[in-house]
């Protein structure tokens, strides 16, 4: 099983600040997904990245896949309280497995 | 469109009791999975299935059984509940086939289980 390490584990910031969270593996990803989970809910897909060096933008969220396809980052610009949640990276084959997550709290 | 439905939403068990967590999906997805999520943690894969009649172990399978007799249903059985199995359980489904590495997983609302 490919281990996914996410950092930081916890992040508490003020509204309007920027932040970056990371997902790393010792093995090459064939593809990587980012999910967001809000309290009391199941995770919801944000993005899938497939190609090394790929950059995808979703409003204020920017996702980057490393050139070697062993790491990925999620950057949030001007964070808002609605961004609060648990951010999970995952890799899928027959099994869909997840990293430990980054818990983000954005204070008004 | 219901998506992925889990029942019950909440359950309290005594140590040693058995129970079945239900999961059903109406999207005709081949792949289904069960996860547990402990407080402040990510999701750990318990068991998964790539189609009716096919199941396999995930990262933390001990103490749990699954079966997949139909495409729609994927129940999770706790054989003899232990306090260490107190957790929130999520079921997920997704399309399989050649796109399995890229397809979106859809999750149920979770079952919050407490074992006393």
């Amino acid at each position: 099983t490919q281990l996914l390490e996410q950092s930081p584990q916890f992040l508490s910031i003020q509204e309007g600040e920027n932040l970056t969270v990371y997902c790393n593996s010792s093995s090459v990803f064939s593809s990587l997904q980012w999910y967001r989970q809000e309290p009391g809910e199941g995770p919801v897909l944000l993005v899938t990245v497939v190609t090394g060096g790929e950059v995808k933008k979703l409003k204020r969220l920017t996702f980057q896949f490393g050139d070697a396809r062993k790491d990925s980052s999620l950057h949030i610009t001007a964070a808002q309280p609605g961004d609060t949640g648990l951010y999970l990276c995952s890799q899928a084959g027959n099994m869909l497995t997840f990293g430990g997550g980054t818990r983000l709290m954005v204070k008004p | 469109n219901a998506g992925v439905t889990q029942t019950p939403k909440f359950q309290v068990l005594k140590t040693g009791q058995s129970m079945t967590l239900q999961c059903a999906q109406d999207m005709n997805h081949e792949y289904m999975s069960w996860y547990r999520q402990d407080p402040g943690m990510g999701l750990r894969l318990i068991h998964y299935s790539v189609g009716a009649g096919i199941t396999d172990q995930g990262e933390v399978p001990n103490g749990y059984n699954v079966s997949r007799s139909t495409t729609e249903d994927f129940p999770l059985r706790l054989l003899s509940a232990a306090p260490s199995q107190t957790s929130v359980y999520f079921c997920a489904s997704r399309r399989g086939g050649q796109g399995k590495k890229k397809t979106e997983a859809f999750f149920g609302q979770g079952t919050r289980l407490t074992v006393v």
Side-chain angles (χ1 to χ4, degrees), chain B residues 1 3 25-32 68 70-72 93-96:
Chain B
N1 194 348
Q25 53 95 6
D26 61 0
M27 297 172 281
N28 201 32
H29 285 168
E30 298 95 329
Y31 285 34
M32 296 185 75
R68 185 100 180 267
T70 67
T71 298
E72 294 78 19
S93 76
R94 59 191 173 105
R95 283 186 293 109

Side-chain angles (χ1 to χ4, degrees), chain A residues 1-3 9-10 30-33 35 37 40-45 48 50 86 88 91-101 103, chain B residues 31 33 35 37-45 48-50 57-59 90 92 94 100-110 112:
Chain A
T1 304
Q2 186 173 14
L3 293 178
Q9 284 185 293
F10 302 99
S30 54
S31 66
L32 185 140
Q33 295 179 323
Y35 288 77
Q37 184 181 21
E41 302 288 331
V44 174
L45 180 67
T48 301
V50 178
L86 180 66
L88 296 159
Q91 63 86 26
N94 282 351
M95 293 195 295
L96 175 66
T97 58
F98 290 83
R103 189 165 297 277
Chain B
Y31 285 34
S33 306
Y35 299 88
Q37 186 172 39
D38 299 321
M41 306 289 285
L43 299 169
R44 290 189 291 171
L45 180 64
Y48 67 101
S49 169
V50 300
Q57 296 182 350
E59 301 163 298
F90 286 98
R94 59 191 173 105
K100 65 187 177 188
K101 294 177 181 176
K102 295 180 284 185
T103 57
E104 177 178 4
F106 294 85
F107 286 81
Q109 294 273 38
R112 188 174 297 273

